[in-house]
Amino acid sequence: MEHYQLVCIDDIDRVLTEPPWEQTLFNFFNTIRELGNQLIIRGNLPPTQLTCSLTDLHSRLSWAPT
């Protein structure tokens, strides 16, 4: 999916705090960014208030405008 120009992920809060999911999302986020494609993520809270086990993923989610 990282080769699509635009990828949208809804309900990200449902998979956060699950380490395998967080690591996959973190890697996906980095790949999308490296390829110059766009990622839209939606959750039930603003990124700064989402709970993540992976600190690096939490920082990536906070990069974008809300």
Side-chain angles (χ1 to χ4, degrees), residues 34-50:
E34 288 172 13
L35 293 173
N37 295 330
Q38 296 180 0
L39 179 61
I40 296 174
I41 299 173
R42 187 199 169 291
N44 65 347
L45 295 168
T48 55
Q49 295 178 16
L50 290 171

Side-chain angles (χ1 to χ4, degrees), residues 8 10 13 15-17 20 23 25 41 43 58 60-61 65:
C8 300
D10 194 9
D13 48 281
V15 297
L16 295 180
T17 70
Q23 187 63 53
L25 285 168
I41 299 173
H58 190 263
R60 297 294 191 284
L61 295 174

Side-chain angles (χ1 to χ4, degrees), residues 2-64:
E2 64 271 2
H3 296 288
Y4 288 108
Q5 290 180 348
L6 175 64
V7 176
C8 300
I9 300 174
D10 194 9
D11 296 325
I12 194 171
D13 48 281
R14 292 181 182 227
V15 297
L16 295 180
T17 70
E18 298 290 334
W21 277 98
E22 286 192 9
Q23 187 63 53
T24 300
L25 285 168
F26 176 74
N27 295 338
F28 185 70
F29 186 100
N30 289 333
T31 301
I32 285 273
R33 185 173 166 86
E34 288 172 13
L35 293 173
N37 295 330
Q38 296 180 0
L39 179 61
I40 296 174
I41 299 173
R42 187 199 169 291
N44 65 347
L45 295 168
T48 55
Q49 295 178 16
L50 290 171
T51 302
C52 293
S53 302
L54 187 60
T55 305
D56 289 335
L57 176 60
H58 190 263
S59 71
R60 297 294 191 284
L61 295 174
S62 299
W63 281 359

